[in-house]
Amino acid sequence: QAQDDLKLYIEKALVNNLQLNAERKNFESAKQNKNISRSEFLPTITLSGDQTSTTSTNRTNKSGTSLADSNSDFESKKISVEQKIFSGFKGLNTFKKSELETQKANLSLKKAEQQTILDTSSAYFDLIFKSKSEKFNLSNVNLFERQVDSDSARLQKGEITLTDLAQSESSLAGARADLIKAKTELLSSKTNFERVTREKTPNTQTLNEKVSLILPISLKKSLELGSLNNVDLLMSKLDYEIATKDLNIERARLSPSASLNYSKSENNDFSSTIDETEEETVKATITWPIIKGGENVSSIKKSSYIKEKNQLILQDTKNRINTVISNSWSKYQSSKSVLEATKAQLKAAEIANEGITLEYDSGNTRTTLELIQSRSLLLDSRIAFAKSERDFIVSQFELAKQLGSLSIQSIK
């Protein structure tokens, strides 16, 4: 049967993840802000028209003499074109702000994508590890069941004591308890996998464990790469730039503005002597706000404080990202060392268990307790090695996320 690899489930998660799809909608919404702010530079065209019909009855003059009823019909059509000439660079800063907000929405989408990839990878390899753990514990139970049967027969022959059999039965009970725990953890891992990928849990025997990521060779290179690509850092920089634009917009509100308006209208009065007129009007308007109850000055101060706040947050983010990348790098290196150590430990435990089992079965000097300890050590070594494999791979994904380089294209 063909193997299912990690990229397959990452692709499905990227399509199915609800939070990620929400970020995609947010990005599309942010792109519309550019079009909205761009309209500030374009003319406004307005069409209007109205029609009035009036009937006057029971009319009298000052002497009380009745007058004839009258009808009045009036129709008006108007087209108006208005163009803003200058608005104190408010429109320009608003447009630049909308571009920055679109970039931030794109980074927010990228952050959600990277988190989805990390969550899927963690769930994928945790499922493999928990499946191996359940398999190892099941094998251990089977071994102890056979040992209890064997020890019962050997007890009848007088080769071992009742205490030896009791030790084997106790170890079997402990192994069964560990198996129940392993099954529960596997079930929890399957549930988490389905939550993250929104796909049914596959047969773990078909999952491909081979995966690699391109990572820097040193901490220094990692810090350099993170300073350029870390998503949280880039978003913090954009927050500062957006706050700067907000301050410029508030300052522009105190500047004069100018606009030009052209309008053409047609009026039809069917009841008057002048029944049709056409008018064309050109109007230039200059507005300069002098005082507005202190609102504008306070708005400038408020925006200035927000800019300073975001500047401080940016500096804190730089320091925090350096710390996070250093910790991720250390975790990556230590997990690599742990993997090598547990691999050596497993090899030694396998050799020791094989020798002790042969000596015990041959009726040599090995005791039941020594056999039990040997099998427990082998089980622990197998689980530790499988866990270190998972931790080493996941640590690579965590480091790549902090560096800003994690993507489905970076997974080999």
Side-chain angles (χ1 to χ4, degrees):
Q1 185 178 0
Q3 286 187 320
D4 298 330
D5 66 3
L6 175 62
K7 293 183 73 172
L8 172 66
Y9 289 101
I10 288 178
E11 288 171 352
K12 291 180 178 180
L14 290 175
V15 172
N16 298 332
N17 186 276
L18 297 178
Q19 183 64 39
L20 185 55
N21 286 328
E23 288 296 338
R24 290 190 178 106
K25 297 299 182 183
N26 179 60
F27 177 56
E28 293 299 325
S29 174
K31 289 197 294 186
Q32 298 307 312
N33 288 334
K34 291 177 63 177
N35 296 331
I36 295 172
S37 59
R38 188 182 288 114
S39 65
E40 186 85 9
F41 304 100
L42 301 176
T44 301
I45 301 176
T46 306
L47 291 175
S48 62
D50 61 78
Q51 185 172 359
T52 306
S53 179
T54 305
T55 301
S56 300
T57 60
N58 298 324
R59 298 191 306 156
T60 59
N61 58 17
K62 292 182 179 181
S63 61
T65 305
S66 297
L67 299 177
D69 295 342
S70 66
N71 293 319
S72 174
D73 295 312
F74 181 81
E75 184 180 86
S76 174
K77 300 176 183 176
K78 182 178 181 181
I79 181 171
S80 176
V81 180
E82 183 173 357
Q83 175 66 62
K84 291 183 178 180
I85 306 301
F86 179 72
S87 59
F89 300 108
K90 173 178 172 290
L92 179 61
N93 283 289
T94 301
F95 178 72
K96 289 182 176 180
K97 176 187 173 182
S98 67
E99 288 185 321
L100 294 173
E101 289 174 336
T102 303
Q103 294 177 28
K104 183 180 177 182
N106 188 36
L107 287 174
S108 182
L109 174 59
K110 182 179 179 181
K111 180 179 180 179
E113 288 178 345
Q114 290 185 342
Q115 188 61 50
T116 300
I117 293 173
L118 176 59
D119 291 343
T120 304
S121 304
S122 298
Y124 181 90
F125 287 104
D126 186 67
L127 178 64
I128 292 175
F129 162 61
K130 296 297 173 53
S131 177
K132 287 182 178 180
S133 178
E134 191 253 3
K135 178 182 176 182
F136 295 151
N137 278 280
L138 179 60
S139 176
N140 198 46
V141 168
N142 292 334
L143 282 173
F144 276 118
E145 286 177 344
R146 290 196 298 269
Q147 181 177 332
V148 169
D149 292 340
S150 175
D151 285 353
S152 296
R154 294 181 68 184
L155 177 64
Q156 294 177 356
K157 295 177 182 179
E159 295 178 358
I160 60 173
T161 66
L162 186 60
T163 302
D164 293 326
L165 178 59
Q167 287 178 331
S168 296
E169 290 175 339
S170 175
S171 298
L172 175 58
R176 285 172 174 167
D178 290 338
L179 177 59
I180 294 173
K181 179 181 178 182
K183 286 181 178 292
T184 303
E185 291 177 345
L186 177 59
L187 179 60
S188 177
S189 182
K190 287 180 177 179
T191 303
N192 183 56
F193 181 87
E194 292 178 356
R195 179 190 65 82
V196 172
T197 64
R198 299 181 68 83
E199 294 285 334
K200 291 185 177 180
T201 305
N203 181 359
T204 54
Q205 300 299 322
T206 67
L207 296 181
N208 184 6
E209 299 181 49
K210 295 181 180 179
V211 66
S212 63
L213 291 171
I214 300 176
L215 296 173
I217 60 175
S218 67
L219 175 59
K220 181 180 179 182
K221 291 289 184 181
S222 298
L223 292 172
E224 291 175 354
L225 188 60
S227 66
L228 297 175
N229 298 320
N230 181 274
V231 176
D232 288 332
L233 181 56
L234 293 177
M235 290 178 68
S236 183
K237 289 179 179 178
L238 286 177
D239 282 336
Y240 173 70
E241 293 180 25
I242 289 172
T244 302
K245 298 304 177 187
D246 280 332
L247 178 58
N248 293 339
I249 291 170
E250 292 301 326
R251 286 172 175 168
R253 297 185 191 278
L254 293 177
S255 303
S257 61
S259 63
L260 189 64
N261 179 278
Y262 166 79
S263 64
K264 182 178 181 180
S265 62
E266 292 182 2
N267 301 314
N268 293 318
D269 191 345
F270 301 107
S271 60
S272 65
T273 56
I274 303 176
D275 59 356
E276 184 175 330
T277 59
E278 291 187 3
E279 295 180 354
E280 292 188 15
T281 305
V282 177
K283 181 173 70 172
T285 304
I286 297 177
T287 304
W288 195 340
I290 302 301
I291 189 171
K292 200 176 180 181
E295 178 185 341
N296 288 345
V297 175
S298 296
S299 296
I300 290 175
K301 289 182 178 180
K302 177 182 176 181
S303 297
S304 180
Y305 290 138
I306 293 176
K307 177 185 175 182
E308 293 174 3
K309 181 196 76 171
N310 281 281
Q311 187 176 22
L312 293 172
I313 292 176
L314 174 57
Q315 185 58 50
D316 178 70
T317 303
K318 289 179 179 178
N319 298 334
R320 178 173 59 82
I321 294 303
N322 285 339
T323 301
V324 171
I325 291 176
S326 298
N327 292 339
S328 296
W329 174 264
S330 299
K331 184 177 180 181
Y332 164 57
Q333 293 297 318
S334 63
S335 62
K336 184 177 180 180
S337 300
V338 170
L339 176 63
E340 295 173 351
T342 54
K343 183 177 181 180
Q345 179 189 13
L346 175 59
K347 184 177 180 180
E350 288 175 338
I351 295 173
N353 180 71
E354 183 179 358
I356 292 174
T357 301
L358 288 173
E359 292 175 5
Y360 181 82
D361 291 340
S362 64
N364 210 325
T365 56
R366 292 296 181 179
T367 65
T368 302
L369 180 59
E370 288 176 317
L371 180 63
I372 292 171
Q373 290 175 337
S374 173
R375 286 179 177 171
S376 297
L377 179 60
L378 178 60
L379 175 63
D380 292 342
S381 299
R382 284 173 172 170
I383 293 176
F385 179 63
K387 181 177 182 296
S388 64
E389 284 183 312
R390 180 201 64 181
D391 293 345
F392 176 58
I393 295 175
V394 172
S395 70
Q396 295 179 58
F397 281 87
E398 291 175 342
L399 177 59
K401 178 180 179 292
Q402 296 302 329
L403 300 180
S405 61
L406 182 59
S407 68
I408 194 168
Q409 291 80 17
S410 65
I411 302 173
K412 305 300 181 183

